[in-house]
């Protein structure tokens, strides 16, 4: 796997796809043929870009629980999983996956942006700090599903477009403040506006952190 040159300079990459978080080790599930998150970590370790002892932080803010990622990392305690999701929707049956999450943030159906962002701010910084206490974090994977958007047919949550942008910038900012190399994946999004939500975030990330940007914060 060869990273584009800019990724090394900024410590931030965005894949305009990916985030296939439902695929399990032995089969695809939930619109996901293979699990790119597990593949990414495995390849980086095999190539020595991630040290064997390096920790990986996985922040899943797609509306659905990232069960496939949990199954892949079931016995890998170098992976630390934060997952905020609507527990009433797919894959609600997968209790084993939910038990693997290190920090679970259940979101009520119809959760507003204000409530969502408050829960995020209350839990994510402490989670990230706790992971860093006992070891180096070599990589963060941010699964930025836009199915949290109020008009999404599957997510069951109530965020506005502005809320989604705030969520993304806050999450990436928290990771960068801690100096963690981050890759953002788009994961699920089923409304007609999903592409606009993604574009809003990517444009702002480029402005803030892209090559030539003043801020590295
Ligand atoms: Zn989803």
């Amino acid at each position: 796997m060869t990273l584009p040159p800019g990724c090394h300079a900024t410590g931030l990459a965005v894949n305009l796809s990916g985030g296939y978080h439902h695929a399990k080790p032995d089969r695809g599930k939930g619109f996901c043929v293979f699990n790119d998150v597990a593949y990414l970590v495995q390849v980086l370790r095999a190539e020595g870009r991630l040290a064997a002892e390096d920790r990986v932080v996985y922040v899943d803010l797609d509306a659905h629980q990232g069960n496939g990622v949990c199954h892949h990392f079931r016995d890998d305690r170098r992976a630390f999983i934060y997952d905020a999701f609507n527990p009433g929707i797919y894959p609600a049956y997968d209790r084993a996956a939910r038990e693997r999450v290190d920090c679970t943030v259940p979101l009520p159906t119809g959760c507003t942006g204000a409530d969502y962002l408050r829960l995020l701010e209350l839990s994510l910084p402490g989670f990230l700090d706790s992971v860093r206490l006992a070891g180096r974090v070599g990589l963060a994977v941010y699964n930025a599903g836009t199915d949290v958007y109020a008009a999404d047919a599957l997510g069951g949550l109530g965020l506005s477009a502005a809320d989604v942008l705030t969520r993304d910038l806050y999450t990436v900012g928290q990771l960068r403040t801690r100096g963690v190399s981050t890759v953002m994946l788009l994961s699920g999004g089923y409304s007609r506006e999903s592409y606009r939500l993604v574009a809003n975030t990517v444009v702002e990330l480029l402005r803030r952190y892209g090559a030539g940007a003043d801020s590295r914060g």
Side-chain angles (χ1 to χ4, degrees):
M1 179 183 296
T2 302
L3 296 174
C7 296
H8 299 291
T10 64
L12 176 63
V14 180
N15 182 354
L16 297 177
S17 182
Y20 309 131
H21 61 162
H22 297 309
K24 296 186 176 180
D26 61 340
R27 60 190 183 283
K29 294 289 285 184
F31 305 155
C32 304
V33 176
F34 70 101
N35 198 301
D36 58 313
V37 177
Y39 180 74
L40 167 69
V41 173
Q42 183 175 333
V43 169
L44 290 176
R45 285 206 170 114
E47 293 182 348
R49 294 168 186 255
L50 267 180
E53 66 275 14
D54 273 354
R55 296 175 163 209
V56 173
V57 164
Y58 175 67
V59 178
D60 192 326
L61 300 187
D62 186 280
H64 301 88
Q65 200 267 315
N67 62 325
V69 174
C70 292
H71 286 288
H72 275 277
F73 292 111
R74 186 186 65 185
D75 299 319
D76 186 344
R77 289 295 163 178
R78 297 167 297 180
F80 292 81
I81 298 174
Y82 175 103
D83 204 333
F85 59 92
N86 181 350
I89 59 176
Y90 179 90
Y93 62 88
D94 197 340
R95 292 174 180 266
R98 293 188 181 188
E99 290 172 0
R100 173 61 183 84
V101 178
D102 296 289
C103 185
T104 299
V105 182
L107 304 166
T109 295
C111 185
T112 65
D115 286 344
Y116 183 103
L117 295 170
R118 182 176 56 83
L119 289 169
L120 187 64
E121 290 172 7
L122 282 172
S123 56
L124 184 61
F127 167 76
L128 296 176
D129 288 338
S130 69
V131 176
R132 292 167 73 228
L133 275 178
R136 195 181 93 92
V137 177
L139 176 73
V141 179
Y142 171 33
N143 205 48
T146 51
D147 51 8
V148 296
Y149 183 51
D152 192 277
L154 301 184
L157 301 175
L159 276 69
S160 68
D163 295 330
V164 175
L165 177 61
T166 300
R167 176 200 70 165
D168 290 343
L169 297 177
Y170 177 78
T171 302
V172 172
Q174 288 293 309
L175 293 164
R176 290 186 64 83
T177 294
R178 291 165 175 78
V180 180
S181 294
T182 299
V183 59
M184 174 176 150
L185 308 172
L186 302 191
S187 205
Y190 310 96
S191 73
R192 288 180 177 274
E193 290 80 24
S194 268
Y195 77 97
R196 289 188 195 276
L197 306 179
V198 171
N200 291 344
T201 294
V202 171
V203 166
E204 187 57 24
L205 289 177
L206 284 170
R207 192 187 69 76
R208 293 187 180 195
Y209 308 122
D214 292 333
S215 170
R216 291 285 182 263

